[in-house]
C-alpha cells in the first residue's frame, strides 16, 4: 500500500499537494476518534464507514459526469451499477 500511495503522489499530473494535505489532516481528525470505539459500537461504526464510502463514490460519480457530460447512456448506467454495488 505504501508503494501505491508513493507512486500516486509522485505522478507528474499532481501539481498541488494542498488538497491532499487538507484531506490527510481532516481524515486523521475524524479517523482517530472513530478508531477508539468500544466493541459494542462496532456495527454503528461500520455503518458510518459505509455511509462515508457511499458519499465518496457519489461525489466521484458526479465529478465524472460534470467533466464528461457527453458520456454515453450505457457507460453511465454501468457506472451507476458500480456505485450501487459498491465497487
Amino acid at each position: 500500500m505504501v508503494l501505491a500511495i508513493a507512486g500516486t503522489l509522485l505522478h507528474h499530473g499532481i501539481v498541488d499537494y494542498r488538497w491532499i494535505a487538507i484531506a490527510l489532516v481532516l481524515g486523521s481528525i475524524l479517523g482517530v476518534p472513530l478508531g477508539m470505539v468500544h466493541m459494542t459500537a462496532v456495527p454503528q461504526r461500520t455503518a458510518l464507514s459505509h455511509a462515508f464510502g457511499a458519499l465518496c463514490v457519489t461525489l466521484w460519480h458526479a465529478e465524472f459526469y460534470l467533466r464528461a457530460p457527453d458520456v454515453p447512456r450505457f457507460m453511465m448506467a454501468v457506472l451507476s451499477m458500480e456505485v450501487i454495488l459498491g465497487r
Side-chain angles (χ1 to χ4, degrees):
M1 194 65 195
V2 171
L3 290 175
I5 293 171
T8 302
L9 291 176
L10 294 175
H11 188 270
H12 61 84
I14 298 177
V15 291
D16 187 15
Y17 291 95
R18 193 174 350 178
W19 286 109
I20 295 172
I22 290 170
L24 184 64
V25 169
L26 286 176
S28 297
I29 290 171
L30 291 172
V32 168
L34 285 176
M36 297 182 185
V37 297
H38 295 287
M39 286 301 290
T40 56
V42 168
Q44 293 89 339
R45 190 227 178 267
T46 303
L48 186 62
S49 293
H50 288 180
F52 280 129
L55 174 65
C56 177
V57 169
T58 303
L59 291 174
W60 174 85
H61 195 264
E63 182 71 17
F64 182 83
Y65 181 74
L66 290 175
R67 291 188 184 255
D70 57 340
V71 176
R73 285 185 179 266
F74 178 75
M75 181 181 276
M76 193 55 76
V78 170
L79 290 171
S80 298
M81 288 305 297
E82 294 236 354
V83 169
I84 291 169
L85 295 174
R87 295 212 175 234

